[in-house]
Amino acid sequence: PKDGRADMPLRGDARPAEGDGLGMNPMILNFRGNALSRLDRYKEAVADYREAADIFENDRELRQASLSHANEALALFGASRDQDAVAVLRQVVRKDPGVTDAHVALAVAYWSGRGVEKDVPEAENEWSFACNNIDTGCQKYKDLEWVAQIRRWPPPLVSSLRDFLRKGRT
């Protein structure tokens, strides 16, 4: 391919259609998704993250696919597609329970009722899992500046995280 990646055969009978992006380096798509999210162009970011995840899955890079899907979910929240975001996050934690962003974002969704019926015990379960069962833990998520600037969470989700943290998670 022109992007420098080694040729990888597609699974099954799949063949990339002309111009579908499957020759694109998925990291570039993730980086572009990050830039689009910073510009509040979440709908476009969703497409880039989703395409990156598809490529990573095809290449059997499952952790990278999970991270791209987690980014996709954050962009879906930014695009006010909260139910879709929760569905993606649930899929991420089912396939790769080690993605801290997904558990913390689900905790916030359950706590605030964003895209899902409010469920405080489930919010606590997701938060506890992120804090106690994942190597990276949840400490950084208590720094809202880090969440907003480094993790690029959409402002409404950061606000919901702030409310969640005010309930004694310092």
Side-chain angles (χ1 to χ4, degrees), residues 1-2 11 20 24 34 45 49 53 58 69 72 89 110 124 131 152 160 166 169:
K2 294 176 186 172
R11 291 187 298 236
D20 74 352
M24 173 68 85
N34 293 345
Y49 291 133
N58 185 65
H69 280 305
E72 173 191 349
L89 289 171
Y110 286 125
E124 297 291 352
C131 294
R152 300 167 314 281
S160 294
R166 284 186 178 150
R169 286 166 203 84

Side-chain angles (χ1 to χ4, degrees), residues 63 66 70 73-74 77 85-86 88-111 122-138 141 153 157 161 164:
R63 172 45 64 103
S66 294
L74 295 175
F77 278 120
V86 169
V88 170
L89 289 171
R90 286 176 172 161
Q91 204 172 37
V92 169
V93 299
R94 184 177 51 80
K95 289 182 176 182
D96 189 348
V99 179
T100 311
D101 241 14
H103 288 282
V104 175
L106 274 175
V108 171
Y110 286 125
W111 179 264
E122 192 60 31
E124 297 291 352
N125 287 340
E126 291 293 345
W127 179 256
S128 177
F129 189 93
C131 294
N132 301 318
N133 297 86
I134 302 175
D135 290 342
T136 56
C138 61
Y141 290 87
W153 280 31
L157 199 60
L161 175 61
F164 177 74

Side-chain angles (χ1 to χ4, degrees), residues 39-57:
L39 296 170
D40 295 333
R41 292 168 55 184
Y42 294 109
K43 184 178 178 183
E44 294 166 271
V46 166
D48 278 354
Y49 291 133
R50 186 171 293 151
E51 185 173 359
D54 289 346
I55 294 169
F56 282 130
E57 286 170 358

Side-chain angles (χ1 to χ4, degrees), residues 143-154:
D143 177 354
L144 296 175
E145 184 72 18
W146 179 84
V147 172
Q149 297 303 316
I150 304 300
R151 287 304 309 130
R152 300 167 314 281
W153 280 31

